[in-house]
Amino acid sequence: MDKIIDLRSDTVTKPTDRMREAMMNAEVGDDCYGEDPTIHRLEALAAEKIGKPAAMYVPTGTMGNTAAIMTHTRAGDYAIMDAECHIYYYEHGNLSSLAGIMPIVMNSADGVPDLDEVEAYLQRDPAKFPKTSLICLENTHNRRGGRAIPLDRMSAVHELAQRYGVPVHLDGARVFNAAYALGVEAREVVSHVDSVMFCLSKGLCAPVGSMLAGEEDFIQEARRARKRLGGAMRQSGVLAAAGIVALTEMPDRLGEDHANAKLLAKALSQFDELALHPEDVHTNMVFVDTKPLGISAADFADRASQHNIKVSVYGPMTVRMVANHDASREDVLYAAETLVDLVKSLGSC
Ligand code: TLP
């Protein structure tokens, strides 16, 4: 196969023809004057789809999360989150360097902090201890296997947080994948949090952009945080036009990616030593532990790339593959077959 099959992430997806066409024809204005009609349309559509009163367009998911944290908290406060969450693990300490937050990281199998542990922080006397002013969740949870967190796990955290008047922010970069896997509307997932960031530029294929959604006054304040972060843009309607196509046309096809990920996992599950269980693949991500193969993740990725398959090195001994729009069923079948041969050739399984 000549084509490069890129399974490193769903972020590698290119804009569809319909997106390119919409971008070409987008009506634009200066969004810093509030004059971009396409941005207005995207923000209204996003708010409506996600079931929150208001939404704001941001260039990246990282900026959306950072703006949310800056808006919900004050410097010196605690924010509670999972140790493997994107905000803590990948966002270059923005929560501390830009929002002045002390992260309290907790560990759990599914990425939802333990309620008793959370409550112990919420009960601390704010006169003596830093105030816990935010709890962050992630759904789907990237580093926990692309897991779709069940709604009762989210609502339990939300109910507890509400009792103490503390908001919950969701890193919902892939909230439409979560909704698809749970068989509910995205707005239902988001009904268990106060604010959400979700990405248009991952499985939904937009070239750029994410949304931050929440109450009107929260979003109004978050616009100031976005400005401080340098994310207030001018004729950004040209990008938002692709975002509108992403939101209207792409969520319903995410099931194809989930089925392709499952196919890949099923093929590799024939090797008992890999301990890869297809039922643990909830959405579009497949993780492979390369340790039983006796090679590093980088070595595995290198060997896969010799067969035109790109995978992502997710840890010294962990490889991640993400099914996405730009890798067809045929491509994934080829990748599955090739990776099975690769594993066999290593001879340790
Ligand atoms: N995730 C990327 C990498 O940064 C790891 C990927 O390939 O998965 N939240 C979650 C849960 C994410 O997975 C990501 C990107 C973000 C936020 C950040 O989005 P961007 O890249 O738009 O800042």
Side-chain angles (χ1 to χ4, degrees), residues 1-115:
M1 157 117 26
D2 289 340
K3 179 181 171 187
I4 305 279
I5 300 168
D6 197 342
L7 301 175
R8 286 172 303 168
S9 183
D10 45 10
T11 59
V12 303
T13 48
K14 309 231 165 77
T16 63
D17 290 346
R18 294 259 308 116
M19 288 177 189
R20 290 172 192 272
E21 197 186 316
M23 292 171 81
M24 176 98 147
N25 297 319
E27 244 189 287
V28 296
D30 190 331
D31 188 45
C32 290
Y33 289 100
E35 288 175 3
D36 191 303
T38 311
I39 287 285
H40 292 164
R41 274 177 52 219
L42 173 64
E43 291 184 342
L45 174 70
E48 194 268 319
K49 274 236 167 212
I50 214 73
K52 293 287 180 205
M56 168 178 82
Y57 185 59
V58 281
T60 63
T62 300
M63 188 184 287
N65 282 332
T66 307
I69 296 167
M70 287 165 73
T71 308
H72 280 305
T73 65
R74 283 172 58 176
D77 290 348
Y78 285 148
I80 296 175
M81 62 201 68
D82 177 54
E84 296 284 328
C85 76
H86 195 280
I87 289 175
Y88 180 69
Y89 201 95
Y90 287 113
E91 298 187 7
H92 291 249
N94 281 355
L95 79 175
S96 302
S97 62
L98 300 170
I101 284 299
M102 287 200 285
I104 300 297
V105 293
M106 296 183 178
N107 254 301
S108 67
D110 70 356
V112 179
D114 176 77
L115 294 183

Side-chain angles (χ1 to χ4, degrees), residues 2-272:
D2 289 340
K3 179 181 171 187
I4 305 279
I5 300 168
D6 197 342
L7 301 175
R8 286 172 303 168
S9 183
D10 45 10
T11 59
V12 303
T13 48
K14 309 231 165 77
T16 63
D17 290 346
R18 294 259 308 116
M19 288 177 189
R20 290 172 192 272
E21 197 186 316
M23 292 171 81
M24 176 98 147
N25 297 319
E27 244 189 287
V28 296
D30 190 331
D31 188 45
C32 290
Y33 289 100
E35 288 175 3
D36 191 303
T38 311
I39 287 285
H40 292 164
R41 274 177 52 219
L42 173 64
E43 291 184 342
L45 174 70
E48 194 268 319
K49 274 236 167 212
I50 214 73
K52 293 287 180 205
M56 168 178 82
Y57 185 59
V58 281
T60 63
T62 300
M63 188 184 287
N65 282 332
T66 307
I69 296 167
M70 287 165 73
T71 308
H72 280 305
T73 65
R74 283 172 58 176
D77 290 348
Y78 285 148
I80 296 175
M81 62 201 68
D82 177 54
E84 296 284 328
C85 76
H86 195 280
I87 289 175
Y88 180 69
Y89 201 95
Y90 287 113
E91 298 187 7
H92 291 249
N94 281 355
L95 79 175
S96 302
S97 62
L98 300 170
I101 284 299
M102 287 200 285
I104 300 297
V105 293
M106 296 183 178
N107 254 301
S108 67
D110 70 356
V112 179
D114 176 77
L115 294 183
D116 291 337
E117 258 186 89
V118 172
E119 187 158 21
Y121 273 94
L122 298 176
Q123 282 172 336
R124 285 187 170 191
D125 177 356
K128 293 195 188 132
F129 297 97
K131 186 181 160 206
T132 297
S133 57
L134 185 63
I135 300 170
C136 298
L137 297 178
E138 185 173 310
N139 202 2
T140 64
H141 199 304
N142 187 342
R143 290 190 61 83
R144 301 266 182 206
R147 170 187 298 271
I149 310 287
L151 300 188
D152 60 341
R153 298 283 287 145
M154 293 182 66
S155 63
V157 173
H158 197 212
E159 277 159 28
L160 173 64
Q162 279 179 320
R163 269 197 276 131
Y164 288 88
V166 173
V168 179
H169 171 70
L170 177 67
D171 176 344
R174 298 181 179 84
V175 74
F176 287 96
N177 295 82
Y180 195 95
L182 297 168
V184 298
E185 294 292 327
R187 52 171 52 224
E188 218 173 306
V189 180
V190 171
S191 70
H192 301 293
V193 296
D194 300 280
S195 62
V196 60
M197 180 288 291
F198 61 95
C199 295
L200 306 170
S201 60
K202 308 221 160 23
L204 302 185
C205 301
V208 177
S210 295
M211 307 303 303
L212 178 64
E215 294 299 320
E216 291 278 4
D217 55 350
F218 168 79
I219 291 298
Q220 207 173 318
E221 198 51 35
R223 289 189 189 282
R224 283 163 33 85
R226 182 182 68 172
K227 187 77 182 169
R228 285 170 62 194
L229 295 169
M233 295 180 282
R234 304 296 175 175
Q235 288 76 28
S236 38
V238 78
L239 301 171
I244 292 171
V245 178
L247 267 185
T248 46
E249 295 181 7
M250 305 308 277
D252 287 347
R253 62 149 304 282
L254 291 173
E256 288 172 35
D257 297 346
H258 295 192
N260 283 339
K262 194 78 105 187
L263 186 155
L264 205 50
K266 271 200 185 128
L268 291 169
S269 69
Q270 65 181 271
F271 305 106
D272 289 345

Side-chain angles (χ1 to χ4, degrees), residues 289-300:
D289 177 5
T290 62
K291 210 171 177 177
L293 304 176
I295 59 170
S296 68
D299 197 2
F300 186 96

Side-chain angles (χ1 to χ4, degrees), residues 324-342:
N324 65 76
H325 174 263
D326 294 6
S328 66
R329 168 56 65 112
E330 196 195 347
D331 295 341
V332 173
L333 281 169
Y334 164 81
E337 230 174 82
T338 309
L339 294 178
V340 163
D341 288 346
L342 195 161

